[in-house]
Coordinates of all heavy atoms in Angstrom, one line a residue:
L307 N -4.5 52.7 9.2 CA -3.4 52.9 8.3 C -3.7 52.2 6.9 O -4.1 51.0 6.9 CB -2.1 52.3 8.9 CG -1.6 53.0 10.1 CD1 -0.4 52.4 10.7 CD2 -1.4 54.5 9.9
I308 N -3.4 52.9 5.9 CA -3.6 52.4 4.5 C -2.3 52.5 3.7 O -1.6 53.5 3.9 CB -4.7 53.2 3.8 CG1 -6.0 53.2 4.7 CG2 -5.0 52.7 2.4 CD1 -6.7 51.9 4.9
E309 N -2.1 51.7 2.8 CA -0.9 51.8 2.0 C -0.9 53.1 1.1 O -2.0 53.5 0.7 CB -0.8 50.6 1.0 CG -0.5 49.2 1.7 CD 0.7 49.3 2.6 OE1 1.8 49.8 2.1 OE2 0.7 48.8 3.7
P310 N 0.2 53.7 1.0 CA 0.2 55.0 0.2 C -0.3 54.7 -1.2 O -0.2 53.7 -1.8 CB 1.7 55.3 0.1 CG 2.3 54.7 1.3 CD 1.5 53.4 1.5
R311 N -1.1 55.7 -1.7 CA -1.6 55.7 -3.1 C -2.8 54.8 -3.3 O -3.3 54.6 -4.4 CB -0.6 55.4 -4.1 CG 0.6 56.4 -4.2 CD 0.2 57.8 -4.5 NE 1.4 58.6 -4.9 CZ 1.3 60.0 -5.0 NH1 0.1 60.6 -4.9 NH2 2.4 60.7 -5.3
D312 N -3.3 54.2 -2.2 CA -4.4 53.2 -2.3 C -5.7 54.0 -2.0 O -6.2 54.0 -0.9 CB -4.3 52.1 -1.3 CG -5.4 51.1 -1.3 OD1 -6.3 51.2 -2.2 OD2 -5.4 50.2 -0.5
A313 N -6.2 54.6 -3.1 CA -7.4 55.5 -2.9 C -8.6 54.6 -2.5 O -9.4 55.1 -1.7 CB -7.7 56.2 -4.3
D314 N -8.8 53.4 -3.0 CA -9.9 52.6 -2.6 C -9.8 52.3 -1.1 O -10.8 52.3 -0.4 CB -9.9 51.3 -3.4 CG -10.2 51.5 -4.9 OD1 -10.8 52.5 -5.2 OD2 -9.9 50.6 -5.7
G315 N -8.6 52.0 -0.6 CA -8.4 51.7 0.8 C -8.8 52.9 1.6 O -9.4 52.8 2.7
F316 N -8.4 54.1 1.2 CA -8.7 55.3 2.0 C -10.2 55.5 2.0 O -10.8 55.9 3.0 CB -7.9 56.5 1.4 CG -6.6 56.8 1.9 CD1 -5.5 56.2 1.4 CD2 -6.4 57.5 3.1 CE1 -4.2 56.4 1.9 CE2 -5.1 57.7 3.6 CZ -4.0 57.1 3.0
F317 N -10.8 55.4 0.8 CA -12.3 55.6 0.8 C -13.0 54.6 1.7 O -13.9 55.1 2.5 CB -12.8 55.4 -0.7 CG -14.3 55.6 -0.8 CD1 -14.8 56.8 -1.3 CD2 -15.2 54.6 -0.5 CE1 -16.1 57.0 -1.4 CE2 -16.5 54.8 -0.6 CZ -17.0 56.0 -1.1
A318 N -12.6 53.4 1.7 CA -13.3 52.4 2.5 C -13.1 52.7 4.0 O -14.1 52.6 4.8 CB -12.8 51.0 2.2
A319 N -11.9 53.1 4.4 CA -11.6 53.3 5.8 C -12.4 54.6 6.3 O -13.0 54.5 7.4 CB -10.1 53.6 6.0
I320 N -12.4 55.6 5.5 CA -13.2 56.8 5.8 C -14.7 56.5 5.9 O -15.4 56.9 6.9 CB -13.0 57.9 4.8 CG1 -11.5 58.4 4.8 CG2 -13.9 59.1 5.0 CD1 -11.1 59.2 3.6
D321 N -15.2 55.7 5.0 CA -16.6 55.3 5.0 C -17.0 54.6 6.2 O -18.0 54.9 6.8 CB -16.8 54.5 3.7 CG -18.3 54.3 3.4 OD1 -19.0 55.3 3.5 OD2 -18.7 53.2 3.0
V322 N -16.2 53.6 6.6 CA -16.5 52.8 7.8 C -16.5 53.7 9.1 O -17.4 53.6 9.9 CB -15.5 51.7 8.0 CG1 -15.6 51.0 9.3 CG2 -15.7 50.6 6.9
I323 N -15.5 54.5 9.2 CA -15.4 55.3 10.4 C -16.6 56.3 10.5 O -17.2 56.5 11.6 CB -14.0 56.1 10.5 CG1 -12.9 55.1 10.7 CG2 -14.0 57.1 11.6 CD1 -11.5 55.7 10.5
L324 N -16.9 57.0 9.4 CA -17.9 58.0 9.5 C -19.3 57.4 9.7 O -20.2 58.1 10.1 CB -17.9 58.8 8.2 CG -16.6 59.8 8.0 CD1 -16.7 60.5 6.7 CD2 -16.5 60.7 9.2
D325 N -19.5 56.1 9.4 CA -20.8 55.5 9.6 C -20.9 54.8 10.9 O -21.9 54.1 11.2 CB -21.0 54.5 8.4 CG -21.5 55.2 7.2 OD1 -21.9 56.4 7.2 OD2 -21.5 54.5 6.1
D326 N -19.9 54.9 11.7 CA -19.9 54.1 13.0 C -19.6 55.1 14.2 O -18.4 55.4 14.5 CB -18.8 53.0 12.9 CG -18.9 52.1 14.1 OD1 -19.4 52.5 15.2 OD2 -18.4 51.0 14.0
T327 N -20.6 55.6 14.8 CA -20.5 56.6 15.9 C -19.6 56.0 17.0 O -18.8 56.7 17.6 CB -21.8 57.0 16.4 OG1 -22.6 57.6 15.3 CG2 -21.7 58.0 17.5
A328 N -19.9 54.8 17.4 CA -19.1 54.2 18.5 C -17.6 54.1 18.2 O -16.8 54.3 19.1 CB -19.7 52.8 18.8
E329 N -17.3 53.8 16.9 CA -15.9 53.7 16.6 C -15.2 55.1 16.6 O -14.1 55.3 17.1 CB -15.8 53.2 15.1 CG -14.3 53.1 14.6 CD -13.5 52.1 15.3 OE1 -13.9 51.5 16.4 OE2 -12.3 51.9 14.9
R330 N -16.0 56.1 16.2 CA -15.4 57.5 16.3 C -15.2 57.9 17.7 O -14.2 58.5 18.1 CB -16.4 58.5 15.6 CG -16.4 58.3 14.1 CD -17.0 59.6 13.4 NE -18.3 60.0 13.9 CZ -19.5 59.4 13.5 NH1 -19.5 58.5 12.6 NH2 -20.6 59.8 14.0
V331 N -16.1 57.5 18.6 CA -15.9 57.8 20.0 C -14.7 57.1 20.6 O -13.9 57.7 21.4 CB -17.2 57.5 20.8 CG1 -16.9 57.5 22.3 CG2 -18.4 58.4 20.4
R332 N -14.5 55.9 20.2 CA -13.4 55.1 20.7 C -12.0 55.7 20.2 O -11.1 55.9 20.9 CB -13.5 53.6 20.2 CG -12.4 52.7 20.8 CD -12.6 51.3 20.2 NE -12.2 51.3 18.8 CZ -10.9 51.1 18.4 NH1 -9.9 51.1 19.2 NH2 -10.7 51.1 17.1
L333 N -12.0 56.0 18.9 CA -10.8 56.6 18.3 C -10.5 57.9 19.0 O -9.3 58.3 19.2 CB -10.9 56.7 16.8 CG -11.0 55.4 16.0 CD1 -11.3 55.7 14.6 CD2 -9.7 54.7 16.1
R334 N -11.5 58.7 19.2 CA -11.3 60.0 19.9 C -10.7 59.8 21.2 O -9.7 60.5 21.6 CB -12.6 60.8 20.0 CG -12.6 62.0 20.8 CD -13.9 62.7 20.9 NE -13.9 63.8 21.9 CZ -13.3 65.0 21.6 NH1 -12.8 65.3 20.4 NH2 -13.3 66.0 22.6
A335 N -11.2 58.9 22.0 CA -10.7 58.7 23.4 C -9.2 58.3 23.4 O -8.4 58.8 24.1 CB -11.6 57.7 24.1
N336 N -8.9 57.4 22.5 CA -7.6 56.9 22.4 C -6.6 57.9 21.9 O -5.4 58.0 22.4 CB -7.5 55.7 21.5 CG -8.1 54.4 22.1 OD1 -8.3 54.3 23.3 ND2 -8.5 53.4 21.2
N337 N -7.0 58.8 21.0 CA -6.1 59.8 20.5 C -5.9 60.9 21.6 O -4.8 61.4 21.7 CB -6.7 60.5 19.2 CG -6.1 59.8 18.0 OD1 -5.0 59.5 18.0 ND2 -6.9 59.7 17.0
L338 N -6.9 61.3 22.3 CA -6.8 62.2 23.4 C -5.8 61.7 24.4 O -5.0 62.4 25.0 CB -8.1 62.5 24.1 CG -9.1 63.3 23.2 CD1 -10.4 63.4 23.9 CD2 -8.5 64.8 23.0
D339 N -5.8 60.4 24.7 CA -4.9 59.8 25.7 C -3.5 59.7 25.1 O -2.6 60.0 25.8 CB -5.5 58.4 26.0 CG -4.7 57.7 27.2 OD1 -4.5 58.4 28.2 OD2 -4.2 56.6 27.0
D340 N -3.4 59.2 23.9 CA -2.0 59.0 23.3 C -1.3 60.3 23.1 O -0.1 60.4 23.1 CB -2.1 58.3 22.0 CG -2.6 56.8 22.1 OD1 -2.6 56.4 23.3 OD2 -2.9 56.2 21.1
A341 N -2.1 61.4 22.8 CA -1.4 62.7 22.5 C -0.7 63.2 23.7 O 0.3 64.0 23.6 CB -2.5 63.7 22.1
K342 N -1.0 62.8 24.9 CA -0.3 63.3 26.1 C 1.2 62.9 26.1 O 2.0 63.6 26.8 CB -1.0 62.7 27.4 CG -2.4 63.1 27.6 CD -3.1 62.4 28.7 CE -4.6 62.7 28.8 NZ -5.2 61.9 29.9
K343 N 1.5 61.9 25.4 CA 2.9 61.4 25.3 C 3.8 62.4 24.5 O 5.0 62.3 24.6 CB 3.0 60.1 24.7 CG 2.4 59.0 25.5 CD 2.5 57.6 24.8 CE 1.8 57.5 23.5 NZ 1.9 56.2 22.9
Y344 N 3.2 63.3 23.8 CA 3.9 64.2 22.8 C 3.9 65.6 23.2 O 3.7 66.5 22.4 CB 3.4 64.0 21.4 CG 3.5 62.5 20.9 CD1 2.4 61.7 21.0 CD2 4.7 62.1 20.5 CE1 2.6 60.4 20.6 CE2 4.9 60.8 20.1 CZ 3.8 59.9 20.1 OH 3.9 58.6 19.7

Side-chain angles (χ1 to χ4, degrees):
L307 295 178
I308 305 297
E309 293 303 314
R311 301 296 192 191
D312 181 2
D314 290 341
F316 271 90
F317 181 95
I320 294 168
D321 196 40
V322 168
I323 292 172
L324 291 180
D325 280 348
D326 189 337
T327 300
E329 178 66 354
R330 292 199 304 276
V331 170
R332 186 184 70 84
L333 292 173
R334 172 180 172 79
N336 287 342
N337 266 324
L338 290 172
D339 187 50
D340 291 351
K342 297 173 185 176
K343 297 182 292 186
Y344 300 99

